[in-house]
Amino acid sequence: MPEQPRPPEGAIAGTGMGGAMDLATGEATTLEGPPRGRGGPERRGRPRSLWSDAWHDLRRNPVFVVSAVVICFLVVISLWPSLIAPGNPLQCDLAKAQEGSQPGHPFGFDGQGCDVYTRTVHGARASVTVGVCATLGVTLLGSVLGGLAGFFGGAWDGFLSRATDVFFAIPVVLGGLVLLSVVSSNTVWPVIGFMVLLGWPQISRIARGSVITARQQDYVQAARALGASPARILLRHIAPNAVAPVIVVATIALGTYIALEATLSYLGVGLKPPSVSWGIDISAASPYVRNAPHALLWPSGALAVTVLAFIMLGDAVRDALDPKLR
């Protein structure tokens, strides 16, 4: 059969249905070639991982965006509080005690004549430091102990389970009153150490359950059949797939630790003066709340917004990392 001549560019080609259409050379080529697109069909058809898919959802979640903005602002003022509050939080004037808002002092003064605005801004450093450091310590200790127990099982798993039961039986606030009442340090480290001591069992149980679930997957069995060492299986195959629930719980717990630090400081066993903390300011303003409610309102509001921001962030991360909620 003789070869049909190709139509020139811009020619009229028959449609086979009694009609005709303009068929340019470039357009005719694309009818048989791969679809156009940046990166080709391989990139556009490549499945996303759990983390990339979660980040894709988080960027479009208004709850995550709002909470992340609030948390970033808190981190900035914790590192450099003098950017928005250049005053000294320990400088007080008794002549201005319990006075309301004035020019240059928008939040008024507390019972000692200290600027409430300056103390509220500088108090974020202690709360954020305690929350972040306690969360890191609890996550690291609980993940290691729970991950090893879930992976190896046996006597170590049984011992850890009984130890977590013992720590769960200790009331947190009562334990703080007993343990921190004998500490005279004014730094945040005794409070952080107490939170790590009583907070690791929760993360440990989450990590243990995640590791047990991941250990039963086919890819772990395949790696074990190929001769991979236990350390490689745990670090390369199980840990990356079991860390998502731990991250979610740790993010929500961070706000809880900030509230716990304020509670212990309010009771007088957490941070102590001359340290600047929201819990200390709330405790100092409580006796004269009727005469100067502003001294209690602003540190309480800052604490509530901070805790709420971290809880909202944890909820958004949970929704993004949990495939069952999609």
Side-chain angles (χ1 to χ4, degrees):
M1 183 176 180
E3 183 179 358
Q4 297 293 333
R6 297 180 59 184
E9 184 174 356
I12 304 298
T15 63
M17 300 178 61
M21 65 177 179
D22 291 332
L23 189 63
T25 304
E27 296 173 350
T29 305
T30 58
L31 294 178
E32 298 294 337
R36 294 179 180 178
R38 183 176 300 177
E42 293 82 3
R43 176 176 298 181
R44 291 186 291 109
R46 181 184 304 170
R48 291 182 300 198
S49 64
L50 173 65
W51 301 104
S52 61
D53 195 27
W55 175 242
H56 179 270
D57 293 342
L58 286 175
R59 289 181 299 175
R60 290 158 176 77
N61 189 346
V63 174
F64 172 78
V65 174
V66 173
S67 59
V69 170
V70 174
I71 292 172
C72 290
F73 174 74
L74 289 171
V75 172
V76 171
I77 66 173
S78 299
L79 296 175
W80 303 284
S82 59
L83 290 177
I84 61 174
N88 185 358
L90 301 179
Q91 183 178 359
C92 306
D93 186 1
L94 286 175
K96 298 181 180 180
Q98 302 184 16
E99 291 186 1
S101 175
Q102 297 179 5
H105 307 279
F107 293 175
F109 299 88
D110 61 8
Q112 300 296 324
C114 302
D115 185 16
V116 177
Y117 171 76
T118 303
R119 290 188 63 86
T120 301
V121 173
H122 284 259
R125 171 176 292 180
S127 298
V128 173
T129 301
V130 170
V132 172
C133 293
T135 302
L136 291 177
V138 166
T139 303
L140 180 61
L141 181 60
S143 298
V144 171
L145 296 179
L148 293 177
F151 183 74
F152 292 105
W156 171 250
D157 188 14
F159 172 76
L160 184 68
S161 298
R162 302 293 75 78
T164 55
D165 292 339
V166 172
F167 279 94
F168 275 127
I170 301 176
V172 177
V173 177
L174 180 60
L177 290 174
V178 174
L179 296 178
L180 295 177
S181 60
V182 298
V183 178
S184 59
S185 176
N186 292 329
T187 63
V188 299
W189 300 113
V191 180
I192 294 173
F194 161 75
M195 293 181 181
V196 173
L197 178 64
L198 294 186
W200 68 267
Q202 181 184 15
I203 298 294
S204 176
R205 285 196 169 181
I206 298 296
R208 174 182 175 272
S210 300
V211 169
I212 291 177
T213 302
R215 187 182 62 183
Q216 301 171 355
Q217 301 300 321
D218 293 338
Y219 57 84
V220 175
Q221 304 300 330
R224 184 177 288 110
L226 293 174
S229 63
R232 180 179 179 85
I233 293 175
L234 181 60
L235 297 177
R236 295 293 300 275
H237 300 283
I238 294 182
N241 294 281
V243 72
V246 175
I247 293 177
V248 173
V249 175
T251 306
I252 298 177
L254 201 156
T256 305
Y257 293 141
I258 293 178
L260 178 59
E261 178 274 323
T263 302
L264 295 174
S265 299
Y266 178 86
L267 296 175
V269 296
L271 298 180
K272 303 175 181 63
S275 299
V276 181
S277 170
W278 291 333
I280 295 176
D281 291 346
I282 293 173
S283 177
S286 297
Y288 50 88
V289 62
R290 293 185 178 180
N291 298 328
H294 59 273
L296 179 65
L297 174 64
W298 292 110
S300 301
L303 176 63
V305 170
T306 301
V307 175
L308 180 62
F310 281 104
I311 292 178
M312 291 171 56
L313 180 68
D315 290 340
V317 173
R318 179 199 59 192
D319 295 341
L321 292 179
D322 192 351
K324 297 179 182 179
L325 300 177
R326 298 182 185 279

